[in-house]
Amino acid sequence: MRLTLPARKHYNRIKKNLLSGIWDQVATVISPYSDDRVPAVRAFNRRIATVNGYSEFRFPESAVPDLPPGEDRRIFQEYFLATENGDVRGAFMLRHQDFAFSGQIRRVAHYRLPMSEGVANKAYAGVALQMVRTAIQKQPLLFAIGMGGVDNPLPRFLRALGWAITAVPFYFYAIRPAAFFRHVQAVRQTAARRALADAVAMSGAGWAALRVMHRFRRGDRPGPFKWDVVTEFSVWADELWAKCAPAYAMAAVRDSASLNILYPSNEPRFVRIRVTIDGRAAGWALLADAQMQGHKHFGGLRLGVIADCMAEPLHAPEVIAAATAALQDRGVDLIVSNQLHGAWRAGLERAGYLGGPSNYAFAVSKQLGALVTPFEARAREIHINRGDGDGLVNLL
């Protein structure tokens, strides 16, 4: 039977209420993480770890966030737990910070590490929806990032709720091609591929092939610039941010106060470079340099990462060139970066970087997507990279 429009609306309203009732029946209580919940979180982690594909996921077994709330602190995290009779059935984090939308500042939150017992027990399938609803109630301008790529369960779930999702493109530059073929797992997935990759590495054919590909991709060299290593961000970064903010449809605030919270000077993995043109700061890059050991993607490579960066879009090529030179000077085998904005992608391509499959996705709630609309068409105007999420944790 075909329903009339009024009848269909009435049916959909009943269906919505019925589903809401179902979720309410399985709903747990969501509240801030407290010290007395640590044992329950530990037990929750053990249960989730038994599920195929989830063994690497663990919610922090401490109630104190990495970036705790504080007076006048503009960047901070909150931890929340979904509990049922003292047992933890789900958990998530919110990292609150300022974002600029064509220069206009709004408060935004990153929906981080949502974990639900629904992956192990279908009786708790509603917990994931309850957590998202709670997060949006606390901050409607919400995004999620990383998630293993656009086709994994979480991004598919968010897409079904009306979130907009795009992949953040991945780029790489093999400084030492032989090491690339010996260690990068994407080219060594089967015994035949491993044998071929080893042969290519030993023969020198891989070195020649990748060198040709990098050079073929490379465009004109950018104009003259200089770069130096700095220990922290200061007034020069504030002046640069004020100049850059209006140029991006969406970008996390990258003034010195924010950057020094996100990238503290006592973190040895981070390398900060400042790029100057005609004696004035034109941009910066946050780099990571780490020796891998049995990494699931990069084996035993010495990996360089262009994790974060800032400049006016026209100076992206100079910053990418400087970051590449800095990491090459440090002796890395491979440099990687994920960048969404079109100018930074073009800067990577101009420097000879090659594209590869991305496991880094960016999703925005309906309310956040409405500030950058149409989202699909304007995604290339949004400045997003691994500095905006917890991607460095997964890389390093």
Side-chain angles (χ1 to χ4, degrees), residues 101 145 150 164-169 247-251 338-345 360-364 368-369 371-385 388:
F101 296 84
I145 196 167
V150 297
I165 300 178
T166 186
V168 182
Y248 294 97
M250 175 181 172
N338 288 83
Q339 300 290 339
L340 182 58
H341 193 278
W344 291 98
R345 290 158 63 177
Y360 206 62
F362 176 55
V364 296
L368 182 54
L371 297 180
V372 187
T373 187
F375 180 82
E376 292 77 9
R378 300 193 65 195
R380 290 178 64 93
E381 302 172 31
I382 299 173
H383 188 46
I384 288 289
N385 53 39
D388 293 293

Side-chain angles (χ1 to χ4, degrees), residues 133-330:
R133 284 178 170 175
T134 301
I136 289 178
Q137 288 172 359
K138 293 181 178 298
Q139 175 51 270
L141 304 182
L142 202 64
F143 73 91
I145 196 167
M147 303 177 286
V150 297
D151 295 322
N152 270 7
L154 176 58
R156 291 203 309 268
F157 172 67
L158 295 176
R159 185 184 288 113
L161 296 180
W163 289 41
I165 300 178
T166 186
V168 182
F170 171 79
Y171 292 88
F172 69 94
Y173 195 109
I175 303 299
R176 294 185 173 84
F180 174 89
F181 284 105
R182 288 194 180 99
H183 292 279
V184 171
Q185 299 305 299
V187 299
R188 303 177 63 84
Q189 293 177 341
T190 66
R193 286 188 177 185
R194 287 193 292 274
L196 179 60
D198 289 337
V200 167
M202 291 180 63
S203 68
W207 182 94
L210 279 175
R211 278 285 174 259
V212 169
M213 293 172 69
H214 287 312
R215 287 176 182 173
F216 179 79
R217 190 66 176 268
R218 187 178 298 143
D220 296 335
R221 292 184 179 275
F225 63 88
K226 295 181 179 180
W227 62 270
D228 64 323
V229 176
V230 295
T231 57
E232 65 178 2
F233 298 94
S234 59
V235 175
W236 61 268
D238 295 327
E239 295 171 350
L240 181 65
W241 168 246
K243 188 188 305 182
C244 295
Y248 294 97
M250 175 181 172
V253 169
R254 286 169 164 87
D255 57 12
S256 62
S258 301
L259 294 171
N260 288 326
I261 290 173
L262 295 173
Y263 311 122
S265 57
N266 62 356
E267 173 51 73
R269 296 180 303 170
F270 296 150
V271 179
R272 306 155 197 77
I273 65 166
R274 173 177 51 192
V275 181
T276 56
I277 298 175
D278 296 328
R280 305 184 72 172
W284 56 261
L286 189 285
L287 314 175
D289 171 9
Q291 177 62 57
M292 301 290 99
Q293 298 290 342
H295 192 276
K296 64 180 180 180
H297 297 307
F298 303 111
L301 285 175
R302 183 167 175 187
L303 183 68
V305 185
I306 304 176
D308 202 352
C309 47
M310 179 49 62
E312 291 181 282
L314 78 161
H315 290 312
E318 287 88 348
V319 175
I320 293 297
T324 303
L327 287 168
Q328 189 167 6
D329 287 352
R330 294 178 66 88

Side-chain angles (χ1 to χ4, degrees), residues 33 37-50 57-61 86-89 115 117 120:
Y33 190 171
R37 299 291 189 184
V38 171
V41 170
R42 193 173 293 123
F44 170 71
N45 282 333
R46 286 197 298 268
R47 294 194 299 274
I48 296 297
T50 64
F57 293 91
R58 294 179 68 83
F59 203 76
E61 295 176 1
D87 293 321
V88 173
R89 303 302 182 186
M115 298 174 61
E117 188 136 359

Side-chain angles (χ1 to χ4, degrees), residues 23-24 26-30 81-84 87 89-90 124 127 130-131:
W23 294 126
D24 288 343
V26 301
T28 52
V29 176
I30 296 180
L81 303 178
T83 59
E84 176 196 53
D87 293 321
R89 303 302 182 186
Y124 299 102
V127 173
Q130 185 187 8
M131 292 194 304

